[in-house]
Amino acid sequence: MLIRFEASNYRSIDDPVELSMVAIDRDREAAREEPLLGESLLPVAAVFGPNASGKSNIIAAFAWLRDAVQHSLRTWDEEIPVEPFAFGTGPTAPSQFTVESTIDGVRFEYVLELDAAKVRYEGLFHYPEKKRRRIFEREGQELKLQRGLGKLSGTRELLTERTLALSIARRFDEPLVSDFSRTIVRTQTLGPVRRHGTARNRDGRPPSTHQLRSTFRFFQESDQPSLFEEGAFPHVRSDSDRERALALLRLADLGIDDVVIDPGQTELEPLSRRIRLVHRIADERASLEFAAESDGTRTWFHLIGPVLTALHEGSLLLFDELDASLHPTLSAQLVQLFHDPGTNPLGAQLVFTSHDTNLLNHLNRDEVWLTEKNSRGATRLGALAEFAGERVRKSQNLETAYLHGRFGALPQVDQADFLRSLGLIG
C-alpha cells in the first residue's frame, strides 16, 4: 500500500508537496493496520481545491513517475521529458519524486532527482525489521548495490545518464526490485489528466480502448473462485468475474439484467465489437444498444475494468476529476467499495480529485487534502485533518465547513476584469 508520495519542481508544484496515506483515526474499519510500520494506512484520499490550483498535477506527478519507471529504458534517448515549474529557478533546478509503500508489510522507499539532461540521484531502500537497508543507490553513473544482489549487476552495463536504474533493474529476477516496481507500474490513472503530459495507459493504448479491454475481460465467463466475501456486492448470483462486473454495473442502473457483447472484427479490439445491455422490467427483458444508455451508465461501464483490476490486485487507482465523470451517488458508491474490507480485502487504494463537496460527507477528516496557489503561482497541498496547525474535530461537518471557507481552498471570484471587458464598468 502507498504510504506517502512527495514531488517538487513539477508543473505547478515548486516546493515539495506531500500526500500521506497514514491514518490519523486508526480506530475504524477502513484503516488498514501495518504492524511493521507501526501505523495504519488509508484506502482513500481525496484532493479538493479551486480550479487551476494544481489538484490534477498531484495525480499527474505520480502518473509521470509511473511512466518513467516503465518507459525510460526505451524512450529516454535524447532528453528526459520532465516538466519543471516554469518560474524562478524551476527551469534550471532538478525535479524530485519520493514514493514510500509497503509490500508484504515491509516499508520501501524510492527517491529520484533528475532534470532534462540526466538523472542526478536515484535510490531504492527497504526497512526489514524497521532498519533502513539500501537495495541500490546511484549518483550520476555510479551505482551501488546491496550485497547479495548479484542478479542486478547487469544493470550497470545498461545504465545511461538518462535511464532510471529502476527501469533496468526491474527486468532482472530480483524480488526486492521487481515487487516494488510492480506496485508503481500497476498504478492506473483515469480522468482528464490522461489528455496531457506523459500520463498513458499501462499498455500505451488510447484510454477508451484500454478501459474497454479491461472491462471486457471481466464480462467473460470465468470459473475462478470469488475474491470477495459473500454478499459484498448486491445482486451477485455466482462467484465469477462476470457476476462481479454485472453487480458493479447494476449500481449504475438497477434495471440491467445482463450484458451481451457480439463478436467484432477481432477479439482483441473491443471498439469494433457491439455492446448491448439487457434490461428487465417486471417479467420483460429488452436489450438496448450501448449508445442508447445514459452517459452515467456508459461511463460506469468503462470504469468497471480498472476498478475491479485495482481491487483484484490491491493496487493504486488515481482518478482525476471524479465528479466530472460520475453522478454523486456513484462517486460515493466507488468510495465505499474501497473503504469496505469486504470488497477491498487486499488494500487497494483510490486517490482522486474533485469539486463535489457532497463527497466530504463520505470521507473521514484524514482522507481529505486541499490545494491552493501561493503568491508565486505554485501549488500548496495541505491535510485538512491538521489545517493551519489546528486539528480538525472528528465531529466536524466537513462539507459545511469547507463551503463556508473554514479551510480555505475556495475560488476567489473577481468579476471586475470580465465586466470591464464587456464595457459594463470603467
Side-chain angles (χ1 to χ4, degrees):
M1 294 182 72
L2 178 66
I3 301 172
R4 74 179 188 97
F5 172 65
E6 181 179 304
S8 65
N9 197 26
Y10 177 78
R11 293 191 179 176
S12 66
I13 301 169
D14 185 15
D15 296 329
V17 299
E18 177 186 272
L19 179 73
S20 172
M21 304 298 287
V22 176
I24 291 177
D25 301 319
R26 301 171 60 176
D27 57 341
R28 56 197 183 93
E29 189 178 45
R32 311 300 172 93
E33 184 179 3
E34 293 283 353
L36 292 180
L37 188 64
E39 302 283 357
S40 294
L41 300 179
L42 299 167
V44 174
V47 182
F48 289 82
N51 286 329
S53 63
K55 297 188 303 297
S56 295
N57 288 337
I58 307 299
I59 301 291
F62 198 107
W64 188 92
L65 182 62
R66 175 203 60 197
D67 294 340
V69 172
Q70 187 170 17
H71 300 301
S72 76
L73 181 61
R74 297 198 307 266
T75 64
W76 286 7
D77 295 328
E78 304 297 328
E79 185 179 55
I80 296 176
V82 69
E83 302 175 60
F85 186 65
F87 303 98
T89 60
T92 58
S95 299
Q96 298 181 342
F97 304 87
T98 301
V99 177
E100 291 188 35
S101 301
T102 59
I103 300 174
D104 295 330
V106 177
R107 173 186 170 195
F108 281 71
E109 178 186 20
Y110 178 65
V111 182
L112 176 63
E113 179 180 337
L114 45 66
D115 55 30
K118 63 182 179 181
V119 177
R120 299 190 179 190
Y121 176 85
E122 184 181 6
L124 179 61
F125 309 88
H126 65 146
Y127 294 74
E129 301 178 354
K130 298 186 179 181
K131 295 182 180 180
R132 191 187 202 223
R133 296 187 63 186
R134 177 177 63 202
I135 299 174
F136 71 74
E137 191 173 14
R138 63 92 69 91
E139 293 192 35
Q141 292 289 90
E142 183 181 355
L143 179 66
K144 298 178 182 178
L145 299 174
Q146 176 182 316
R147 288 184 179 181
L149 298 183
K151 292 180 180 179
L152 299 181
S153 59
T155 302
R156 291 189 177 94
E157 300 177 7
L158 298 175
L159 193 65
T160 71
E161 62 182 5
R162 287 187 292 277
T163 302
L164 298 187
L166 184 57
S167 296
I168 303 170
R170 79 185 187 95
R171 298 175 181 275
F172 297 93
D173 188 20
E174 173 48 60
L176 281 177
V177 173
S178 58
D179 289 352
F180 173 78
S181 62
R182 191 177 299 115
T183 66
I184 301 296
V185 172
R186 281 182 174 178
T187 299
Q188 300 176 93
T189 312
L190 302 173
V193 72
R194 292 176 176 276
R195 295 197 295 264
H196 50 274
T198 58
R200 299 178 62 83
N201 293 301
R202 281 164 47 181
D203 61 4
R205 289 175 174 267
S208 57
T209 305
H210 175 82
Q211 291 178 37
L212 276 175
R213 289 186 65 188
S214 178
T215 297
F216 279 14
R217 179 168 65 88
F218 284 95
F219 278 105
Q220 296 172 351
E221 296 291 345
S222 172
D223 295 327
Q224 298 179 5
S226 177
L227 174 68
F228 305 109
E229 296 178 0
E230 184 177 355
F233 291 139
H235 312 290
V236 172
R237 298 192 303 266
S238 74
D239 292 333
S240 70
D241 282 348
R242 193 173 194 278
E243 288 302 326
R244 291 194 290 272
L246 275 173
L248 271 184
L249 185 57
R250 289 169 185 143
L251 291 179
D253 187 338
L254 294 179
I256 294 175
D257 192 57
D258 203 354
V259 174
V260 177
I261 302 175
D262 296 334
Q265 295 177 358
T266 71
E267 291 295 313
L268 297 179
E269 293 299 335
L271 292 182
S272 68
R273 305 175 71 180
R274 182 185 178 202
I275 308 170
R276 288 175 289 130
L277 304 188
V278 179
H279 293 254
R280 178 187 293 273
I281 299 178
D283 294 329
E284 295 186 48
R285 298 171 84 244
S287 62
L288 298 178
E289 296 290 341
F290 188 68
E293 299 290 344
S294 68
D295 288 342
T297 298
R298 285 181 292 167
T299 299
W300 187 253
F301 180 87
H302 285 83
L303 299 182
I304 287 174
V307 169
L308 283 181
T309 296
L311 296 174
H312 271 228
E313 297 178 347
S315 57
L316 177 62
L317 179 62
L318 307 175
F319 204 141
D320 187 31
E321 296 187 11
L322 179 66
D323 54 304
S325 302
L326 298 175
H327 186 277
T329 301
L330 289 179
S331 297
Q333 291 275 16
L334 180 60
V335 169
Q336 179 58 26
L337 287 175
F338 283 80
H339 272 159
D340 188 349
T343 51
N344 184 16
L346 299 183
Q349 292 169 297
L350 171 68
V351 176
F352 67 90
T353 69
S354 178
H355 291 286
D356 182 9
T357 59
N358 178 67
L359 283 172
L360 290 169
N361 297 317
H362 303 275
L363 297 167
N364 197 62
R365 59 177 180 167
D366 53 5
E367 297 174 326
V368 180
W369 293 78
L370 305 173
T371 57
E372 60 183 9
K373 281 193 175 179
N374 61 22
S375 59
R376 297 182 294 110
T379 295
R380 296 192 298 185
L381 177 69
L384 179 144
E386 297 185 357
F387 178 76
E390 176 187 349
R391 178 155 291 196
V392 176
R393 298 190 313 274
K394 291 178 68 173
S395 59
Q396 178 83 270
N397 185 311
L398 300 183
E399 182 181 21
T400 299
Y402 179 84
L403 290 176
H404 282 82
R406 169 71 175 80
F407 310 123
L410 285 172
Q412 299 295 320
V413 180
D414 183 358
Q415 297 182 341
D417 286 343
F418 177 65
L419 295 176
R420 188 174 292 110
S421 70
L422 296 177
L424 298 179
I425 62 174

